[in-house]
Amino acid sequence: MITWGMVGNSHDASLAVFRDDKPVWACMAKDFSKVDNDPDFNWTMLESARQTYGPPDEIVWYEKPFWKTTRQYYAGQGWLHKENNIKKYLRQWDIRTPISYAWHHRAHAAYGYYTSGFKNATILVMDSIGEWESLTIWTGVGNKLTKHYSQWYPHSVGLFYSAMTQRCGLVANKEEYKIANMASKGNDRLVGLVQKELMHNDLNGGLPGVHFKHNLHKGCKWLLPNMNTKSDLNNLAYATQFLYEKILKSNSDYAKRRLKSKNLIIVGGCALNKQANEKIRSDWKKVYVPKNPGDPGSCIGAVASKIKKHLDYDEKIWYNK
């Protein structure tokens, strides 16, 4: 039985091949196309999978297209049902295999937990948006995943970080990795102003999530409009990284106090912030961040969420030419 887990039609397309219940190969589209953040599959990656492991008997897609469409409509992006027709989308590569659909955040949580080797864990999923969810907290015990908290769009720490990336003069959804370096050249002068303008929470670990005063999906170029010197932008970057670390710490503290496990898994696009992850590592017995913790990893997570058990997994299955 060959199962493909697939992520695409948005950004960073990826593919995982499972033989029975074992992941044997995974790749990102950009590994073959050499296009950063490539949202679409390509014939080379698909033929590599087909020729090596055979055609798929089933496909598990990493999110629910209908629910994504409803959120896009709510966000003012229009009714994108045709654009989110995954069966039609895959036919351009002659893929006509039966498809099932995972929940976006459950796929993230499943990827983190079922590849961790932990018998129990707290799982913190943070990204921009998955269907409607943007931050969820889970526990894994044995083979069971249980969701304990869910925060919905438009409140999103991922959208906050991307909006602030744009405000700092960088390209959103592409240059977030530059914020930490800019922050190292700044200071805390604007932290209080940014937090007061954008956030409701005290971020002291008393409550989960983070609630914003504005919908940051379209950015925040309007924020502190007179702060535009190089020094100002570095200070805005400092505030961005500082507040993100505070959000992560607050949710980590909340989860540690309310849930039983001493192991933490961080997954979702925000888990790429290694500097922030290190700040809370000493608070837990063990902290695990899987390889490719953002959407690309959900090609494995989507299938894992259906299998519902720990995987015989080695991160070396990821293609690396």
Side-chain angles (χ1 to χ4, degrees), residues 19 22 53 60 73 89 140 168 208 213 237 263 270 278 280 289 297-298 301:
R19 180 183 286 130
K22 179 179 171 62
Y53 302 101
V60 186
Y73 182 75
Y89 171 72
C168 290
K213 297 179 180 179
N263 303 315
C270 294
E278 288 304 312
I280 63 169
V289 180
S298 287

Side-chain angles (χ1 to χ4, degrees), residues 65-169:
F66 173 76
W67 292 107
K68 177 180 180 178
T69 301
T70 63
R71 187 261 303 158
Q72 290 172 325
Y73 182 75
Y74 174 84
Q77 295 171 265
W79 185 251
L80 302 178
H81 179 67
K82 291 182 179 179
E83 289 80 354
N84 293 328
N85 184 332
I86 302 307
K87 290 182 179 179
K88 181 179 179 181
Y89 171 72
L90 292 177
R91 281 201 292 269
Q92 63 188 298
W93 295 285
D94 198 27
I95 299 173
R96 302 173 188 275
T97 308
I99 305 174
S100 60
Y101 301 90
W103 287 105
H104 189 111
H105 268 231
R106 181 172 285 274
H108 276 315
Y111 177 48
Y113 182 57
Y114 293 130
T115 65
S116 69
F118 295 155
K119 294 181 179 179
N120 63 79
T122 294
I123 305 108
L124 181 57
V125 182
M126 297 196 302
D127 62 6
S128 292
I129 326 167
E131 290 108 10
W132 283 86
E133 292 178 309
S134 59
L135 188 155
T136 52
I137 300 173
W138 307 69
T139 53
V141 179
N143 285 326
K144 184 178 181 181
L145 277 173
T146 303
K147 182 163 57 178
H148 294 270
Y149 174 76
S150 174
Q151 176 176 284
W152 281 34
Y153 176 88
H155 301 285
S156 166
V157 62
L159 291 180
F160 157 72
Y161 208 91
S162 290
M164 290 299 293
T165 296
Q166 184 185 52
R167 178 61 185 87
C168 290

Side-chain angles (χ1 to χ4, degrees), residues 24-26 291 313-320:
V24 293
W25 190 74
K291 184 180 179 70
Y313 170 76
D314 186 333
E315 69 175 30
K316 292 180 181 178
I317 68 168
W318 284 95
Y319 178 86
N320 183 21

